[in-house]
Amino acid sequence: MASETKVVNLAEEAKLAREGVTAPSYAFTTICKSLVAGGVAGGVSRTAVAPLERLKILLQVQNPHSIKYNGTIQGLKYIWRTEGFRGLFKGNGTNCARIVPNSAVKFFSYEQASKGILHLYQKQTGNEDAQLTPLFRLGAGACAGIIAMSATYPMDMVRGRITVQTEKSPYQYRGMFHALSTVLREEGPRALYKGWLPSVIGVIPYVGLNFAVYESLKDWLVKSNPLGLVQDSELSVTTRLACGAAAGTIGQTVAYPLDVIRRRMQMVGWNHAASVVAGDGRGKVPLAYTGMVDAFRKTVRYEGFGALYRGLVPNSVKVVPSIAIAFVTYEVVKDILGVEIRISD
């Protein structure tokens, strides 16, 4: 009886396959593999550039009256000298706890959004051979970014606070769960979403451009094959890394000011924020923003327009390899797991 049931099930799956419908068990397995690939991509890429990520945040939020970090090389040396090797990776555990599910959701959401948009476009135009345009990829990437950011934002918020702590800080969060419980107890649940609006606004061009530039650049290289870069209809890992680097550079440059503002807004309401970012317990400027526009206005008024791009250099050095590694790792892990879905469907 069991063997008959198995045969029936296999026959049913074969029928679904012929009709272009994915069997539930296969679909579930494929979803899980795609999520795993996205999570691995996020964890590997962020750990590889963790020191630059921490320095970027410290530069974004440090008290202008007590400058401790003045540039990429000096900043990294200062962290090494005052906090040692572990200081370079402070907050990375929390970052990975956030970025692994964030990356998994982001890549999976992009694939699903791309398929949905393409299906609607083909149905509307009546052309089943129609392909995704760069604008549609931008939209799919924006949707994926908003979903992933919103789903994991509380972890991003406390990660930012943990990252700016130094050995001289008067108050220490002991870890992600301690930080979450402390913020909830002292500031309320809404505090976990401080800076969410500029984050969402920033993620639209950032993630949208990342996917749009990466996929469009790959498609163009495959079709035009300049300098013989395409072999057997595939791009090499090096070429894909270059595509990811270009995508990361464009996306982060456009969205960077919003990233600075969200980090500053995340510090609002934290009693020890001013002294923590100063690094010596002598905070001179209380952190007080009533909203995103107010944060922009006060930052530019008191620190100049350049403050909106503070930390851009280490972020650029970080983002280029990070985005490149994330895209390539995702595709490599999917190949290893045998997932046949392609982002550029």
Side-chain angles (χ1 to χ4, degrees):
M1 186 72 176
S3 60
E4 291 179 3
T5 302
K6 185 175 182 180
V7 170
V8 171
N9 288 341
L10 289 173
E12 184 65 23
E13 289 192 10
K15 179 182 178 183
L16 290 171
R18 286 194 301 271
E19 295 175 353
V21 180
T22 305
S25 59
Y26 175 79
F28 179 75
T29 302
T30 301
I31 290 172
C32 290
K33 288 180 178 180
S34 294
L35 289 172
V36 168
V40 171
V44 171
S45 63
R46 287 308 175 96
T47 300
V49 297
L52 291 165
E53 173 69 11
R54 185 178 183 220
L55 177 61
K56 178 204 76 172
I57 296 177
L58 287 168
L59 285 168
Q60 286 178 335
V61 303
Q62 72 174 333
N63 193 317
H65 293 278
S66 182
I67 300 296
K68 292 292 184 295
Y69 311 96
N70 188 20
T72 306
I73 303 301
Q74 182 276 335
L76 291 173
K77 286 182 177 179
Y78 184 84
I79 295 173
W80 177 275
R81 186 173 66 253
T82 58
E83 302 180 59
F85 178 78
R86 291 183 64 183
L88 294 172
F89 289 87
K90 183 172 289 183
N92 186 56
T94 307
N95 193 26
C96 285
R98 174 192 70 90
I99 202 63
V100 168
N102 178 283
S103 184
V105 172
K106 181 172 64 180
F107 277 103
F108 179 72
S109 296
Y110 177 76
E111 288 187 344
Q112 299 309 306
S114 296
K115 288 182 176 180
I117 291 172
L118 181 59
H119 176 72
L120 290 175
Y121 180 59
Q122 290 175 338
K123 187 175 181 180
Q124 184 177 13
T125 60
N127 180 11
E128 294 187 358
D129 295 325
Q131 299 295 316
L132 285 174
T133 65
L135 184 61
F136 288 148
R137 290 192 177 110
L138 180 66
C143 291
I146 292 172
I147 293 170
M149 169 66 73
S150 299
T152 60
Y153 191 79
M155 287 186 285
D156 180 68
M157 189 271 188
V158 298
R159 191 266 299 196
R161 291 193 176 185
I162 291 173
T163 299
V164 302
Q165 291 181 159
T166 68
E167 296 301 321
K168 296 181 181 179
S169 300
Y171 183 82
Q172 297 282 339
Y173 289 125
R174 295 191 296 271
M176 181 178 68
F177 293 109
H178 178 247
L180 284 168
S181 62
T182 302
V183 172
L184 279 172
R185 184 177 64 256
E186 296 183 355
E187 303 174 47
R190 290 184 63 184
L192 293 174
Y193 281 88
K194 284 178 178 175
W196 177 82
L197 181 58
S199 298
V200 169
I201 295 174
V203 87
I204 291 173
Y206 179 62
V207 178
L209 284 171
N210 280 344
F211 279 109
V213 173
Y214 181 71
E215 294 299 329
S216 298
L217 192 54
K218 279 202 319 176
D219 282 355
W220 177 76
L221 288 173
V222 169
K223 292 175 182 177
S224 60
N225 192 20
L227 305 176
L229 295 174
V230 181
Q231 297 179 355
D232 298 326
S233 300
E234 292 291 335
L235 295 172
S236 67
V237 171
T238 302
T239 303
R240 283 183 286 168
L241 282 170
C243 292
T249 300
I250 294 172
Q252 65 98 25
T253 301
V254 172
Y256 193 77
L258 287 156
D259 188 52
V260 172
I261 294 303
R262 78 172 173 127
R263 287 298 174 202
R264 295 192 168 205
M265 291 181 68
Q266 286 173 352
M267 302 298 131
V268 174
W270 186 16
N271 294 332
H272 302 278
S275 58
V276 167
V277 298
D280 57 4
R282 298 195 307 272
K284 299 178 181 179
V285 179
L287 299 173
Y289 305 120
T290 58
M292 181 181 69
V293 175
D294 184 56
F296 267 110
R297 183 174 55 83
K298 287 181 177 177
T299 299
V300 174
R301 174 186 292 180
Y302 297 119
E303 301 176 54
F305 184 78
L308 294 175
Y309 284 91
R310 189 172 292 157
L312 179 63
V313 173
N315 192 60
S316 298
V317 176
K318 176 209 77 169
V319 163
V320 170
S322 177
I323 297 298
I325 291 170
F327 275 122
V328 175
T329 301
Y330 178 68
E331 294 182 348
V332 169
V333 173
K334 282 179 62 178
D335 287 342
I336 293 173
L337 296 176
V339 182
E340 298 179 355
I341 301 175
R342 289 182 55 84
I343 292 179
S344 55
D345 280 349

